[in-house]
Amino acid sequence: QVQLTESGGGFVQAGDSLRLSCAGSDSEFRWYAVGWFRQAPGKEREFVASIGYIQWNGRSTTDYADSVKGRFTTTRDNVSNMVYLQMNELEPADTAVYYCARGSRRYGEAGLTDRTDYRFWGQGTQVTVSS
């Protein structure tokens, strides 16, 4: 069974930074796109960012929601089976539970923004940004 585990959430002040980590449990993890979503209280889960599999040239495609472009960056390390979400210039509106998810198809690229594009989900990590 594929498992994803997020970590790195916390309580920070506006303008601070956090780095979230997503650990994949299986050896196939590298071949799938990974997405980041978040869900604030009373709101639907929304797309934040995605990263495609690492291609032959060592690069992955990435995609971001407009609300986080220029502030958040997602990367992946296939040696350690990890995906990261670096969040800078955090705002109170970024407060939510953050989830990582693995795409449904092998050789997935970034740009998968719908929850149905992802098959396996982590348990989430809370990010709280105080003003």
Side-chain angles (χ1 to χ4, degrees):
Q1 179 70 12
V2 174
Q3 290 186 330
L4 302 178
T5 306
E6 303 97 336
S7 60
F11 184 98
V12 296
Q13 301 291 323
D16 285 351
S17 298
L18 277 176
R19 188 177 81 156
L20 304 185
S21 299
C22 174
S25 67
D26 69 314
S27 61
E28 292 288 298
F29 188 64
R30 66 176 62 194
W31 301 117
Y32 291 83
V34 173
W36 291 95
F37 289 75
R38 65 186 181 187
Q39 188 165 17
K43 294 187 176 181
E44 292 197 358
R45 195 170 297 188
E46 64 175 5
F47 169 77
V48 175
S50 64
I51 185 165
Y53 76 106
I54 289 188
Q55 300 171 17
W56 65 272
N57 58 5
R59 297 180 179 178
S60 298
T61 55
T62 56
D63 186 37
Y64 300 92
D66 288 343
S67 59
V68 305
K69 275 181 184 175
R71 299 189 298 124
F72 290 13
T73 303
T74 184
T75 57
R76 69 190 304 165
D77 180 351
N78 280 348
V79 173
S80 59
N81 240 27
M82 299 288 292
V83 173
Y84 302 99
L85 183 66
Q86 178 67 41
M87 305 186 297
N88 298 330
E89 301 175 25
L90 283 162
E91 305 167 354
D94 296 318
T95 295
V97 177
Y98 283 71
Y99 300 88
C100 66
R102 200 194 82 171
S104 301
R105 297 182 177 182
R106 223 166 187 253
Y107 306 122
E109 301 276 6
L112 304 176
T113 62
D114 194 280
R115 291 175 58 182
T116 60
D117 293 322
Y118 297 88
R119 182 176 178 186
F120 299 102
W121 293 77
Q123 82 290 349
T125 185
Q126 176 70 47
V127 172
T128 303
V129 184
S130 171
S131 58

